[in-house]
Amino acid sequence: MQFIHNDLGQRKRGDVVEVTLTSGANVRLMDSTNFNSYKNGRRHQYTGGLAKKSPLRLQIPRLGHWYIVVD
């Protein structure tokens, strides 16, 4: 599985993450537990999905350690 990820570190609820793309891609915002599941091919939950326009803005749903994944 090929993907690009960015460790956003600790973020609070309501923070907004902006992702700029050059073409359509799947963009997933995940906490650390779900990111580890994603990397290991297990079921995971995320915010986001197929992004067809840029920039994409996603809001952090709760306090925690977050990752952005583009595939």
Side-chain angles (χ1 to χ4, degrees):
M1 170 181 3
Q2 292 185 343
F3 61 89
I4 298 168
H5 76 282
N6 191 5
D7 183 342
L8 302 174
Q10 198 71 13
R11 296 290 178 126
K12 63 182 182 206
R13 180 180 184 208
D15 284 353
V16 175
V17 178
E18 185 173 288
V19 179
T20 304
L21 303 167
T22 56
S23 63
N26 289 311
V27 179
R28 303 168 197 243
L29 173 65
M30 295 179 265
D31 61 18
S32 55
T33 301
N34 284 295
F35 179 62
N36 285 326
S37 293
Y38 172 79
K39 287 191 305 183
N40 292 306
R42 296 190 305 263
R43 286 185 56 150
H44 59 282
Q45 295 182 335
Y46 60 90
T47 299
L50 180 59
K52 295 181 180 179
K53 57 183 177 177
S54 183
L56 174 65
R57 292 177 183 88
L58 298 171
Q59 191 172 39
I60 302 291
R62 66 185 177 283
L63 178 68
H65 194 116
W66 293 89
Y67 294 83
I68 281 283
V69 176
V70 179
D71 63 14

